Amino acid sequence: MMGPAHSLSGAAAWLGVGAATTAAGEPMPWPVLLVGALICAGAALAPDLDHKAATISRSFGPVSKRLCEIVDKLSYAVYKATRKPGDPRRSGGHRTLTHTWLWAVLIGGGASVLAITGGRWAVLAILFVHMVLAIEGLLWRATRGAGSDVLVWLLAATSSWILADILDQPGHGAAWLFTSPGQEYLWLGLPIVLGALVHDIGDALTVSGCPILWPIPVGRKRWYPLGPPKAMRFRAGSWVELKVLMPAFMVLGGVGCAAALNVI
């Protein structure tokens, strides 16, 4: 799928989690619902760090472009080193390492560790990165054009500072889910894991499928392209994505948000 659909699906997924926790009698504080949805929307773009033409590659200027090149080469090297006889030969690393459940868990776990060990500045850095990606994905029409990058970064930095201040207030979510001393913001890794997995599931619906299960082998393949029957798949950017899935994600997100806030 394309960036906007990935971001919408990520936000909708976290709002759905919020609805589920409310239904279970443990509602999220509203700042956790808001911040988690934005982080998840941003994290749903991150697996495409292996593609130089993806939204994330241009979100942070030369830094993200260079990082995309490095991740692409790393992913390709891992693919070559771990492929089985049934896996096809390929010339790049797109939709390999960064599109797996293991990558999602490692990135989310790393963010959680960074959040609880790095203090406020680490939390702000995690928020800033994902706010930039969320703005690029959700407001993609407004962020196109010369000079928009600096405005996006300023908006992301400002919103990250404000949201961190809100979360730090008693009962507003810094210690949500993990309540022991020193575990504040440990939950930040959860929307990151969810966003990456939602991205992978979205890509699995497209023609090429997605090797979500790696490194678990399936038959003669270790990089098995998981997905529905081919007749049910679609091309990225097709009318199915634009006219069906994106509106569906908006509706599901709205319903999830309303249920999470006990509006319905």
Side-chain angles (χ1 to χ4, degrees), residues 46-70:
D48 278 342
L49 194 58
D50 60 3
H51 196 301
K52 63 181 180 180
T55 300
I56 190 173
S57 72
R58 56 179 178 269
S59 295
F60 301 94
V63 174
S64 54
K65 288 184 179 179
R66 179 56 180 160
L67 185 58
C68 281
E69 293 174 1
I70 294 171

Side-chain angles (χ1 to χ4, degrees), residues 1-17 33-34 36-46 55 130 133-141 191 194-199 202 240-257:
M1 289 197 299
M2 306 299 285
H6 279 309
S7 283
L8 280 172
S9 67
W14 186 258
L15 294 171
V17 171
L33 185 69
L34 172 61
L38 291 171
I39 291 176
C40 204
L45 294 180
T55 300
H130 290 90
L133 294 177
I135 293 167
E136 292 278 6
L138 297 174
L139 303 177
W140 61 280
R141 290 185 185 276
L194 180 61
L197 291 177
V198 168
H199 177 110
V240 176
E241 179 178 334
L242 299 175
K243 303 296 184 181
V244 178
L245 292 181
M246 288 181 67
F249 294 149
M250 289 186 225
V251 171
L252 290 173
V255 172
C257 181

Side-chain angles (χ1 to χ4, degrees), residues 215-238:
I216 302 170
V218 178
R220 299 177 67 249
K221 295 183 178 182
R222 193 177 301 279
W223 297 89
Y224 183 82
L226 200 67
K230 290 189 177 181
M232 298 175 62
R233 302 186 189 190
F234 58 88
R235 293 190 178 278
S238 69

Side-chain angles (χ1 to χ4, degrees), residues 23-197:
E26 296 290 339
M28 288 180 186
W30 70 264
V32 174
L33 185 69
L34 172 61
V35 173
L38 291 171
I39 291 176
C40 204
L45 294 180
D48 278 342
L49 194 58
D50 60 3
H51 196 301
K52 63 181 180 180
T55 300
I56 190 173
S57 72
R58 56 179 178 269
S59 295
F60 301 94
V63 174
S64 54
K65 288 184 179 179
R66 179 56 180 160
L67 185 58
C68 281
E69 293 174 1
I70 294 171
V71 172
D72 177 42
K73 291 178 181 178
L74 171 64
S75 299
Y76 180 50
V78 172
Y79 180 86
K80 288 198 302 180
T82 62
R83 63 185 288 269
K84 293 187 70 176
D87 292 311
R89 295 185 180 277
R90 56 186 303 148
S91 58
H94 181 48
R95 284 205 189 182
T96 55
L97 180 61
T98 62
H99 288 68
T100 65
W101 70 269
L102 183 58
W103 177 272
V105 171
L106 290 175
I107 292 300
S112 288
V113 171
L114 180 63
I116 64 174
T117 59
R120 179 177 175 84
W121 288 108
V123 171
L124 287 171
I126 294 169
L127 290 176
F128 172 73
V129 168
H130 290 90
M131 290 303 115
V132 169
L133 294 177
I135 293 167
E136 292 278 6
L138 297 174
L139 303 177
W140 61 280
R141 290 185 185 276
T143 58
R144 296 295 179 263
S148 64
D149 284 350
V150 174
L151 294 177
V152 170
W153 298 339
L154 288 173
L155 177 58
T158 303
S159 60
S160 297
W161 192 276
I162 294 171
L163 291 171
D165 281 344
I166 294 172
L167 286 168
D168 282 338
Q169 295 175 21
H172 277 196
W176 175 71
L177 199 59
F178 302 96
T179 58
S180 298
Q183 292 185 345
E184 294 82 3
Y185 292 109
L186 183 60
W187 62 269
L188 280 183
L190 297 178
I192 294 174
V193 173
L194 180 61
L197 291 177

